[in-house]
Structure formats: C-alpha cells, structure tokens
C-alpha cells in the first residue's frame, strides 16, 4: 500500500541522487497521481518474485537514503507472473521526475541524468536492463560474449548514452535496432565489456552475477607473449 507523502528528510547529496536515479532509469518508475487536486509523485520499484533478493537490495538502499518508516514489500500477480514491489511518496520525487521524464510523462535519458550516475548506479542500471549475447564456435564453445544494455530508446537517446560512456568512462559501445519495438539498445563487444564489467562488478549482487561475462568465460592473466 502506498505510504503517505512525506517531507524531504534532508538535502540529497551526489551519491543519494545518483542511486535514486539509477534505480529509476531501468526498471523503476515515478507515477504521477492526483488527490484532491494535488499532484504527487510515487516512487515505485517492481520485480518478479524470482528477483526478490534484488528488490530487497534496492529497498535497503532506498531506506538508507529516505529514512522514515521503511516501506513494506507487497506481493501480487501480473500478466508476466508473480511480482513484488515497494513504493513511497515524497515531495523530493518531483525533482527526479523533472530530470528523468519529458513533458508528455515519458522516461527520457538525457546527458544531465547520465552525469549524475556513479559506478554503483550504473551497476543497478545493468542489473535491471543488462544481459549477455553469446557467440559459439564450431565446437559449440563460447567464442565471444557481448554485454547488452536493453535501453529500448530513440536513436537520439542512444547516441547520448554512447557518447557519455566514451567520454566519461572510456568505454565504447554501439547501438543496435530492435525491430519489434523500432527502438535502440546498446552492445559492448568482448573488449569493451571487460571494461564495463570491471567498472560495475564490485556492486553486482550474487543473484545477478549470471549477467557478467566472467561468469561464462574464464579469463586468464596476460602473459609476456600475450
């Protein structure tokens, strides 16, 4: 059940805002609601019950930032199966909505939003929307492993994300068209995927390690001969 709207507990520092945005940019959302002509914003995190451990990880982060009464986890069913969620209303979420949503209330990834993200919030984004694309050789062995970020965004937003990864983190990726939705997602080849994994691995929880290339391919140390 939705908690009542609360005042902002404190002035958010860089890390707090980074993590709150990191949990929104992927699977999270801000719902805009009206009550007696007053607009309020509900921060909602929802996952399959198969990812309950991950939801609890996010809840601990959220509660450490927002304080107050810890939101309860509620359980239900969707057309995709059983789910679990938590939510909270707070006046501060109006600012996050302004950052992350366009005028028509659609999530929109901008450079301003990306520049708030740190290593942990990128890791959360990847745990939400990331995955692996494996290639096999003629012996049915894994020959390469690309990391995928399923952004499903416009070409303009995809280019913004590509430039941000290159300029801020020295990680290159490319955009690919998802024909079914006519939107774009990002692909990191084996070399660039190593860089991305090194960046986010300290923050990947155990139940999400299956999304890391090193969980599929054992990488040996470099030798003098290469």
């Amino acid at each position: 059940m939705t908690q009542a709207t609360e005042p902002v507990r404190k002035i958010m520092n860089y890390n707090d805002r980074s993590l709150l945005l990191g949990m929104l940019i992927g699977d999270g959302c801000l719902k805009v609601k009206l009550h007696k002509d007053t607009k309020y914003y509900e921060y909602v995190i929802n996952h399959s019950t198969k990812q309950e451990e991950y939801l609890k990880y996010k809840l601990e982060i959220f509660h450490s930032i927002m304080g107050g009464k810890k939101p309860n986890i509620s359980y239900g069913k969707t057309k995709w199966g059983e789910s679990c969620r938590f939510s909270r209303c707070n006046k501060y979420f109006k600012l996050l909505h302004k950052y992350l949503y366009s005028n028509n209330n659609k999530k929109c990834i901008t450079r301003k939003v990306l520049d708030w993200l740190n290593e942990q919030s990128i890791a959360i984004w990847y745990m939400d929307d990331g995955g692996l694309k494996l290639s096999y050789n003629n012996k049915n062995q894994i020959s390469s492993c690309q990391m995928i970020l399923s952004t499903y965004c416009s070409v303009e937003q995809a280019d913004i994300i590509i430039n941000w990864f290159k300029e801020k983190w020295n990680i290159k990726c490319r955009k690919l068209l998802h024909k079914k939705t006519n939107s774009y997602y990002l692909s990191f080849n084996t070399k660039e995927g190593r860089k991305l994994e090194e960046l986010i691995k300290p923050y990947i929880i155990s139940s999400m390690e299956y999304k890391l290339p090193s969980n599929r391919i054992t990488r040996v140390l470099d030798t003098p001969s290469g």
Side-chain angles (χ1 to χ4, degrees), residues 7-43:
V8 179
R9 179 175 63 90
K10 62 178 181 179
I11 297 175
M12 295 291 163
N13 60 35
Y14 172 85
N15 190 65
D16 291 342
R17 189 172 296 184
S18 175
L19 292 173
L20 288 175
L21 283 169
M23 291 191 290
L24 287 174
I25 200 170
D27 289 339
C29 70
L30 282 173
K31 294 184 177 181
V32 183
K33 297 188 174 183
L34 287 174
H35 179 67
K36 296 181 179 179
D37 298 323
T38 300
K39 184 183 291 187
Y40 65 97
Y41 299 82
E42 182 185 12
Y43 192 112

Side-chain angles (χ1 to χ4, degrees), residues 121-183:
S121 48
I122 297 170
I124 292 170
W125 186 12
Y126 183 75
M127 286 188 282
D128 277 2
D129 290 346
L132 300 175
K133 183 178 180 181
L134 305 177
S135 298
Y136 296 84
N137 59 23
N138 55 13
K139 296 181 180 179
N140 202 34
Q141 299 170 330
I142 297 173
S143 57
S144 67
C145 184
Q146 299 178 50
M147 295 177 78
I148 300 296
L149 195 55
S150 300
T151 47
Y152 297 136
C153 60
S154 68
V155 64
E156 293 83 7
Q157 290 179 65
D159 285 336
I160 289 172
I161 301 169
I162 290 169
N163 291 333
W164 176 75
F165 268 113
K166 182 179 179 180
E167 293 169 7
K168 186 164 184 178
W169 304 103
N170 191 32
I171 298 174
K172 297 178 183 178
C173 57
R174 63 191 179 106
K175 60 180 179 289
L176 298 172
L177 178 64
H178 186 259
K179 294 181 180 180
K180 188 174 182 179
T181 60
N182 195 33
S183 59

Side-chain angles (χ1 to χ4, degrees), residues 100-112:
L100 193 55
Y101 288 78
S102 62
N103 291 333
N104 60 352
N105 202 34
K106 297 292 184 181
K107 197 178 291 185
C108 182
I109 302 174
T110 64
R111 181 63 185 247
K112 183 177 182 180

Side-chain angles (χ1 to χ4, degrees), residues 66-102:
M66 300 305 301
K69 184 178 179 181
K70 191 173 186 178
N72 295 320
I73 295 176
S74 59
Y75 298 84
K77 290 187 177 181
T78 69
K79 61 181 179 180
W80 298 285
E82 295 182 350
S83 66
C84 49
R85 73 193 294 270
F86 71 84
S87 66
R88 172 64 58 84
C89 294
N90 190 288
K91 294 179 180 179
Y92 177 73
F93 300 150
K94 180 179 180 180
L95 177 62
L96 297 184
H97 189 275
K98 183 178 179 180
Y99 277 166
L100 193 55
Y101 288 78
S102 62

Side-chain angles (χ1 to χ4, degrees), residues 118-127 147 165 171 193-205 211-213:
N118 60 20
E119 292 90 336
Q120 186 176 6
S121 48
I122 297 170
I124 292 170
W125 186 12
Y126 183 75
M127 286 188 282
M147 295 177 78
F165 268 113
I171 298 174
R194 289 193 185 107
K195 296 180 186 178
L196 179 58
E197 180 173 346
E198 288 175 2
L199 183 73
I200 65 176
K201 189 173 182 178
Y203 306 100
I204 301 295
I205 65 172
K211 293 191 174 190
L212 295 177

